Amino acid sequence: MNLLKNFIILFVVFISVISCAQQNQPNSITMEQFKEKLKSDKELIVLDVRTPEEVAAGKIEIAINIPVQVLEQRINELKPYKSKEILVICRTQNRSAVAVNILKQKGYNAKNVLGGMNEYIR
């Protein structure tokens, strides 16, 4: 069962990678826009969907960490933010695209941060 679940997650990631080829997606935000929101919006909600090990190596202080692999099981942790925009980040933007799809299906207003942490730390 876990093998099937992992296959499905990888398949969704693959599809998301293909769909993320375009930069002007309605469910995404550029790194420049993201950094501006970090500076100006004191109530900004950032969801980091990397693993705890990745987050330990460097993180955005205000980010909530829920790895994409367990997002569906832990979705209730985001209930207080359901009426807000949630900006989702990972290492490169692929897992965050998957997370945005999950959140959208559950009725959340979420956007993928293009470029991910790789671009953020540049």
Side-chain angles (χ1 to χ4, degrees):
M1 189 65 169
N2 280 342
L3 184 60
L4 177 61
K5 190 173 185 177
N6 288 339
F7 174 78
I8 291 170
I9 290 171
L10 287 174
F11 179 74
V12 172
V13 169
F14 174 75
I15 295 301
S16 296
V17 169
I18 291 171
S19 67
C20 285
Q22 298 175 338
Q23 294 290 315
N24 295 327
Q25 298 176 22
N27 293 332
S28 65
I29 184 170
T30 66
M31 185 56 65
E32 183 177 304
Q33 292 168 323
F34 176 67
K35 286 182 176 180
E36 184 56 40
K37 282 187 178 248
L38 274 175
K39 290 179 195 172
S40 64
D41 186 349
K42 300 301 177 205
E43 296 184 16
L44 185 65
I45 306 301
V46 178
L47 175 63
D48 189 331
V49 295
R50 297 176 298 153
T51 65
E53 295 79 18
E54 289 174 293
V55 171
K59 65 180 184 172
I60 296 168
E61 286 303 315
I62 66 166
I64 299 164
N65 177 232
I66 303 176
V68 72
Q69 297 87 340
V70 296
L71 180 58
E72 290 192 79
Q73 294 88 351
R74 293 178 55 190
I75 197 95
N76 286 337
E77 294 176 37
L78 298 173
K79 244 183 192 172
Y81 314 111
K82 195 153 189 177
S83 65
K84 300 189 95 167
E85 178 181 66
I86 300 173
L87 302 181
V88 186
I89 195 163
C90 66
R91 185 173 54 86
T92 62
Q93 84 184 24
N94 297 328
R95 287 174 285 174
S96 53
V98 172
V100 166
N101 288 334
I102 292 168
L103 291 168
K104 291 277 188 189
Q105 289 173 359
K106 303 289 185 185
Y108 287 82
N109 177 16
K111 289 192 175 178
N112 185 18
V113 179
L114 297 174
M117 290 299 289
N118 281 351
E119 188 171 329
Y120 179 77
I121 60 175
R122 277 193 220 166

